[in-house]
Amino acid sequence: MRPRPVTSPTGSVCHRYEDNLPLLDMKVPPVPFAGYEWHIARRFLLARRSEGGISLMSLISILGITIAVFALVATLAVRSGYRTNFVTTIIGANAHATLHPHVTVDDRGNRVRAIHPDAQLIAELADLPGVIRAVPQVRAQVIGTSGIANAGVDLYGMPIAAMTALPIIGGTSEGRDSSHATIGSLDSLKDGIAVGEGLARTLGVGLGETIRLVSPTGVQTPFGAAPRINAYEVTFIFSAGRYDIDNTRAYLPLAEAQKFLGHKSTINEIAITLDDPESVDALAPTLQERAGNAYFTWTWKDSSGAFLQALQMEDNLMFILMSILVLVATSNIISGLIMLIKNKSATIGILRAIGLTRGSIIRIFFLVGAIIGITGTILGLLAGCLFAIYIDPIFDAVNWLAEGEVWDPEVRLLASLPAEIRTADILAASGLALALTFVASVIPALRAARMPPGLAIRYE
């Protein structure tokens, strides 16, 4: 059905179709997204089904997008919180970079990894830009026993002042799980030992009780090497919120640890703390150059790099999977708009007949889909943010319903499920949902614009 131009009584050109239905002579403002386009889109969106509308379909589409965006935001928040909690614990309970001496051979032919601390070197390292402190320390694997249980212990020996400065251990960090509190005081550590909460629970000891440490690399006697054994009073119990740290770690003052481990005046590590832990890779070459060939550098990213890469890969994969869910939800917009176009075909023909352009028709149906998508996206973002904010009571309820089988700290390495709302995650989720919504809205809108007005109202 092709139109042929005719002249209206006013002298302007209009068109007449083969079925002799002339277009009315009407001047339409050529302003995109004009007020009348918004008005028509709103009428289409809110029209009842008996009037040819898709109000129920609109609600279903909004609900689908809301659920999809909520799932995406909640997933990204949990993944971001997990990574932040993991990194915060790592950099709050450990040195950001560590200088280890190379293995040497002592006078007796024994291979040892120990070196006399160089006060000048330690001072120079502490004065480097970006370095907060450089601390000498000793570290060893020993056995802890309380008479009723035994456990492997990762023993650290460092100055009490440096131990207090550790954010997680010293108790000054917000990163520690709020459900755990430290017991005792580091001020009394000179007369005892600090142990993790899990280690204390495994050994069955509390504050003021005694544990024995056994070092397999003991003293040399005429009958061979004898293990070193010493008893210490538990004066401080800490919780880092990480299962692997709380269940294995203990701290002694540097002098006492050197005495117990047979280091005399030597150390086997120099622990370095930075003001920006994320910049450790850039600063590591400078540390190595200043320390010289007697040491090699090991950073927190070296020890946890594989795990962080696995987290990043999992984040990307999770985003892709959740994007598919958003794509499925936005497909409801296409089906809903197609139904609307079919029900409103006569109205479309009349609108075209009175002078609306194809561009106006496209924009009207695009607005219908965009309003659905924007509404669903906003509701989904709000629901996802509320989930992240109130994740602790929500998760406690879920864990209670599942009888405590949802979260196992031994597997997850964290005491609870964390969540963190990041601006980048919010922008990524909303941008994806809106982009898919707009694309889904354009496709049926183009179909509506191609509908010939004469054919649309032929049987009306």
Side-chain angles (χ1 to χ4, degrees):
M1 183 182 301
R2 296 183 179 180
R4 54 188 179 84
V6 297
T7 303
S8 68
T10 60
S12 59
V13 177
C14 58
H15 295 81
R16 183 180 298 276
Y17 283 78
E18 293 178 359
D19 52 4
N20 297 323
L21 292 175
L23 286 173
L24 297 179
D25 182 19
M26 178 179 177
K27 295 183 179 179
V28 180
V31 180
F33 299 103
Y36 67 89
E37 295 177 354
W38 285 91
H39 178 74
I40 296 173
R42 182 176 61 84
R43 292 292 300 271
F44 281 175
L45 184 63
L46 300 179
R48 298 177 181 176
R49 190 172 184 84
S50 59
E51 300 173 355
I54 54 165
S55 57
L56 179 60
M57 196 67 184
S58 300
L59 293 177
I60 295 175
S61 299
I62 292 174
L63 180 61
I65 295 175
T66 299
I67 295 175
V69 174
F70 161 74
L72 180 57
V73 172
T75 301
L76 293 177
V78 171
R79 298 304 305 161
S80 297
Y82 187 87
R83 185 189 186 282
T84 299
N85 199 314
F86 179 83
V87 172
T88 300
T89 305
I90 287 295
I91 63 180
N94 299 285
H96 303 157
T98 307
L99 294 177
H100 298 272
H102 291 286
V103 176
T104 58
V105 180
D106 62 10
D107 298 337
R108 298 181 180 180
N110 298 320
R111 291 168 55 86
V112 295
R113 175 171 283 168
I115 196 169
H116 289 279
D118 186 341
Q120 181 179 357
L121 172 61
I122 294 175
E124 291 177 355
L125 292 172
D127 290 337
L128 289 175
V131 176
I132 297 178
R133 70 183 66 88
V135 179
Q137 68 180 25
V138 294
R139 181 181 177 184
Q141 306 293 324
V142 298
I143 300 173
T145 178
S146 62
I148 60 174
N150 303 319
V153 178
D154 191 8
L155 181 64
Y156 284 73
M158 63 174 60
I160 297 179
M163 198 181 308
T164 305
L166 287 174
I168 295 292
I169 306 303
T172 59
S173 173
E174 298 178 357
R176 187 194 303 114
D177 191 297
S178 58
S179 62
H180 298 278
T182 57
I183 304 175
S185 173
L186 284 174
D187 296 335
S188 58
L189 188 61
K190 59 182 179 180
D191 300 322
I193 187 172
V195 299
E197 181 190 43
L199 180 59
R201 184 171 56 250
T202 301
L203 296 178
V205 296
L207 202 65
E209 297 182 334
T210 301
I211 66 171
R212 292 181 179 273
L213 297 183
V214 181
S215 175
T217 57
V219 296
Q220 294 293 330
T221 68
F223 303 98
R228 297 178 185 270
I229 304 176
N230 207 351
Y232 297 97
E233 179 185 352
V234 178
T235 59
F236 186 73
I237 299 176
F238 61 87
S239 173
R242 274 275 305 275
Y243 180 85
D244 54 336
I245 293 178
D246 292 339
N247 275 46
T248 61
R249 189 167 298 188
Y251 289 89
L252 282 175
L254 178 59
E256 181 60 36
Q258 289 174 323
K259 178 182 177 181
F260 171 67
L261 297 173
H263 273 271
K264 297 182 181 179
S265 60
T266 60
I267 60 173
N268 56 15
E269 292 181 355
I270 298 179
I272 299 172
T273 304
L274 309 179
D275 55 5
D276 181 15
E278 295 290 345
S279 65
V280 67
D281 290 337
L283 193 58
T286 304
L287 296 174
Q288 183 63 61
E289 180 182 359
R290 186 62 59 92
N293 296 328
Y295 297 86
F296 67 92
T297 306
W298 189 257
T299 70
W300 70 272
K301 288 188 177 181
D302 293 328
S303 59
S304 305
F307 190 84
L308 292 176
Q309 290 179 1
L311 283 180
Q312 185 62 46
M313 184 181 302
E314 187 174 352
D315 288 345
N316 297 335
L317 181 60
M318 195 66 66
F319 185 82
I320 294 175
L321 294 178
M322 291 296 102
S323 300
I324 297 175
L325 180 61
V326 178
L327 178 61
V328 173
T330 55
S331 64
N332 290 332
I333 296 179
I334 298 179
S335 59
L337 289 181
I338 291 176
M339 290 176 57
L340 178 62
I341 293 169
K342 182 179 179 180
N343 295 338
K344 294 290 187 179
S345 59
T347 305
I348 296 171
I350 295 173
L351 291 174
R352 289 295 310 280
I354 65 175
L356 263 68
T357 63
R358 287 187 175 182
S360 293
I361 299 298
I362 293 175
R363 288 190 292 270
I364 288 171
F365 286 96
F366 173 81
L367 287 173
V368 173
I371 292 173
I372 294 174
I374 293 173
T375 303
T377 300
I378 293 175
L379 293 177
L381 291 177
L382 291 176
C385 291
L386 289 176
F387 175 83
I389 294 173
Y390 297 102
I391 189 171
D392 288 336
I394 292 174
F395 195 79
D396 289 342
V398 173
N399 209 32
W400 177 78
L401 292 174
E403 298 181 353
E405 298 181 357
V406 175
W407 189 265
D408 186 358
E410 297 184 15
V411 177
R412 307 298 181 182
L413 302 180
L414 295 176
S416 62
L417 182 65
E420 178 185 1
I421 301 174
R422 291 185 177 181
T423 303
D425 294 339
I426 297 297
L427 293 177
S430 58
L432 174 67
L434 293 178
L436 292 178
T437 296
F438 294 161
V439 172
S441 302
V442 168
I443 296 174
L446 293 174
R447 177 182 176 181
R450 289 194 299 264
M451 184 180 297
L455 180 63
I457 61 176
R458 184 170 186 173
Y459 299 104
E460 295 297 323

